């Protein structure tokens, strides 16, 4: 078969592991040919692509990012965008398309599937907010990076008797904040899913100081909204899918903590560091399992479906089940983080 391959949305560690697994199993086992569409949906829309040979799938397992490039281009934003995508799919004489992406990119895949394009999805995002799968690859690497940062911030916070506010990624879901907060021993974790009172945070920091602990680590997901006068973040930009560019909540919080209880505070924004660099062994493993499953699904004619981790097994589920809403942090997991607040 002749198969198109694309990676869309924010990049994430493990993308190349997926690409490699698809390519190696596809070429060696099925005799497939591959077209790599560059920079997500942009590559299909503008016919920017490369023919991928066996050598292109070699030596990339440990590499972060994506050899295909990525973008947040949305075909829906362009008039006749879907028609053009279908025309180009046909023009390239593709038999199927494997789409590796998060909620937005896979949302486009759902639409193309409805329009008759044979599509298989692979869920990716460091945010871990895709439904119907226990985990997305990239998440483990992001949590590992954030946990290591929290460990490092502990020692400097303690030396300087400061409160360190660590802002991590997580748009609608506080998975990275919760997991890294638990793993790193945070004294408070704020996530978009859970309401909080600033007084509660302040009293936890204060009670630590009363016990002779003159430092605190607060982890906040970038998607948390602080409500109150002077807490509005002014510079807001939106991408093609209408997502706001986040960032800044950590700084606001650090300033408020310092103002209200006098502890010297600093904000640290981990940002894209969480998304860059080499994937953990777990993410390479999950990416590889997803890649092998995805190419098998193409040959089984399992279209409109995406790979999903259920327990230890990878199974096909409808892409629409993965993307119809964001998978948010369950109360049970957050309760574990709360045990260690203060
Ligand atoms: O969707 C993944 C993600 O890493 C979010 O956590 C974050 O808000 C966003 O991407 C950042 O996007 P960009 O790389 O476009 O700034």
């Amino acid at each position: 078969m002749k198969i198109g391959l694309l990676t869309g949305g924010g990049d994430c560690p493990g993308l190349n592991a997926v690409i490699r697994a698809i390519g190696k199993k596809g070429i060696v086992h099925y005799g497939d040919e591959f077209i790599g569409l560059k920079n997500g949906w942009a590559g299909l829309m503008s016919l920017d692509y490369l023919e991928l040979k066996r050598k292109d799938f070699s030596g990339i397992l440990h590499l972060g990012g994506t050899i295909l490039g990525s973008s947040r281009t949305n075909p829906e934003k362009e008039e006749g965008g879907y028609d053009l995508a279908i025309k180009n799919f046909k023009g390239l004489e593709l038999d199927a398309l494997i789409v590796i992406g998060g909620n937005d990119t896979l949302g486009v895949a759902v639409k193309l599937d409805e329009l008759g394009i044979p599509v298989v999805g692979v869920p990716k995002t460091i945010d871990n907010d895709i439904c119907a799968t226990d985990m997305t690859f990239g998440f483990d690497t992001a949590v590992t990076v954030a946990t290591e940062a929290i460990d490092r911030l502990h020692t400097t916070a303690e030396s300087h008797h400061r409160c360190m506010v660590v802002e991590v990624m997580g748009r609608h879901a506080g998975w990275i904040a919760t997991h890294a907060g638990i793993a790193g021993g945070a004294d408070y974790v704020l996530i978009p899913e859970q309401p909080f009172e600033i007084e509660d945070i302040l009293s936890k920091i204060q009670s630590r100081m009363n016990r002779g602990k003159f430092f605190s680590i607060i982890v906040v997901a970038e998607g948390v909204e602080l409500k109150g006068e002077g807490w509005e973040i002014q510079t807001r930009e939106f991408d093609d899918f209408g997502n706001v560019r986040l960032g800044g909540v950590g700084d606001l919080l650090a300033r408020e903590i310092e103002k209200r209880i006098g502890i010297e505070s600093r904000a640290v924004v981990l940002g894209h560091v969480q998304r860059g660099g080499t994937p953990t062994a777990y993410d390479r493993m999950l990416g590889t399992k997803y890649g092998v499953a995805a190419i098998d699904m193409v040959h089984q004619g399992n279209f409109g479906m995406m790979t999903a981790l259920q327990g230890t097994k990878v199974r096909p589920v409808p892409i629409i089940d993965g993307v119809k809403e964001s998978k948010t942090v369950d109360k049970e997991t957050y309760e574990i983080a709360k045990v260690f607040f203060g």
Side-chain angles (χ1 to χ4, degrees), residues 3 30 33 36 58 71 75 86 104 132 147 162 168 180 199 240 243-244 279 285 289 301 317-318 326:
I3 299 164
Y30 293 112
E33 282 174 58
S58 271
S71 75
I86 293 168
D104 295 331
T147 304
R162 283 173 176 158
V168 298
E199 275 68 28
D240 254 18
N243 300 306
V244 71
M285 180 69 191
K289 280 178 156 182
V317 299
S326 278

Side-chain angles (χ1 to χ4, degrees), residues 15-294:
L15 281 167
N16 287 324
V18 181
I19 294 170
R20 169 183 176 266
I22 292 170
K24 290 208 169 187
K25 179 145 192 195
I27 291 172
V28 175
H29 190 83
Y30 293 112
D32 290 328
E33 282 174 58
F34 288 96
I35 293 293
L37 298 153
K38 290 194 199 165
N39 307 320
W41 293 114
L44 184 60
M45 308 294 289
S46 61
L47 280 177
D48 189 9
Y49 65 92
L50 64 162
E51 284 173 27
L52 294 167
K53 301 291 177 205
R54 191 168 172 177
K55 66 169 175 35
D56 299 312
F57 296 108
S58 271
I60 60 171
L61 176 61
H62 62 292
L63 298 180
T66 158
I67 57 162
L68 297 177
S70 195
S71 75
R72 295 190 186 277
T73 304
N74 182 359
E76 204 160 306
K77 287 287 275 190
E78 206 172 297
E79 213 184 306
Y82 283 116
D83 292 340
L84 180 62
I86 293 168
K87 182 173 155 258
N88 289 347
F89 175 87
K90 290 185 177 156
L92 288 168
E93 298 179 325
L94 297 175
D95 300 303
L97 196 59
I98 300 181
V99 177
I100 311 168
N103 279 306
D104 295 331
T105 306
L106 291 178
V108 174
V110 169
K111 184 78 189 167
L112 285 176
D113 170 63
E114 285 166 6
L115 294 170
I117 297 294
V119 182
V120 163
V122 178
K124 74 82 236 184
T125 168
I126 62 162
D127 289 358
N128 196 36
D129 60 351
I130 299 182
C131 291
T133 181
D134 293 348
M135 187 93 101
T136 51
F137 65 89
F139 173 63
D140 184 67
T141 307
V143 170
T144 302
V145 170
T147 304
E148 195 191 315
I150 295 169
D151 285 350
R152 289 176 185 277
L153 291 170
H154 256 105
T155 58
T156 174
E158 192 164 5
S159 306
H160 287 269
H161 321 295
R162 283 173 176 158
C163 173
M164 303 299 288
V165 178
V166 191
E167 182 180 308
V168 298
M169 279 189 167
R171 193 172 261 152
H172 307 291
W175 287 106
I176 299 175
T178 307
H179 280 229
I182 293 171
D187 303 303
Y188 212 101
V189 177
L190 289 89
I191 60 173
E193 298 89 327
Q194 290 289 328
F196 63 90
E197 296 292 335
I198 183 87
E199 275 68 28
D200 188 37
I201 305 169
L202 300 177
S203 89
K204 294 283 189 307
I205 298 171
Q206 190 64 62
S207 96
R208 284 175 59 77
M209 294 203 283
N210 296 345
R211 298 197 319 271
K213 298 223 175 221
F214 294 101
F215 70 96
S216 285
I217 304 282
I218 313 296
V219 177
V220 56
E222 61 177 0
V224 164
E225 265 185 69
L226 293 180
K227 296 201 175 73
E229 213 180 312
W231 281 4
E232 299 83 22
I233 294 170
Q234 300 301 337
T235 49
R236 288 301 192 208
E237 286 171 42
F238 295 85
D239 68 23
D240 254 18
F241 286 90
N243 300 306
V244 71
R245 187 180 296 170
L246 295 168
V249 66
D251 193 41
L252 289 179
L253 192 60
R255 277 197 263 150
E256 191 67 14
I257 291 169
E258 184 166 309
K259 190 171 91 192
R260 299 273 288 267
I261 52 173
I263 183 169
E264 195 183 352
S265 301
R266 295 282 191 277
V268 176
V269 182
L270 296 187
H272 293 80
V273 171
Q274 297 157 96
R275 265 188 13 205
T278 188
T280 58
Y282 182 89
D283 281 336
R284 295 180 201 191
M285 180 69 191
L286 185 56
T288 300
K289 280 178 156 182
Y290 276 177
V292 168

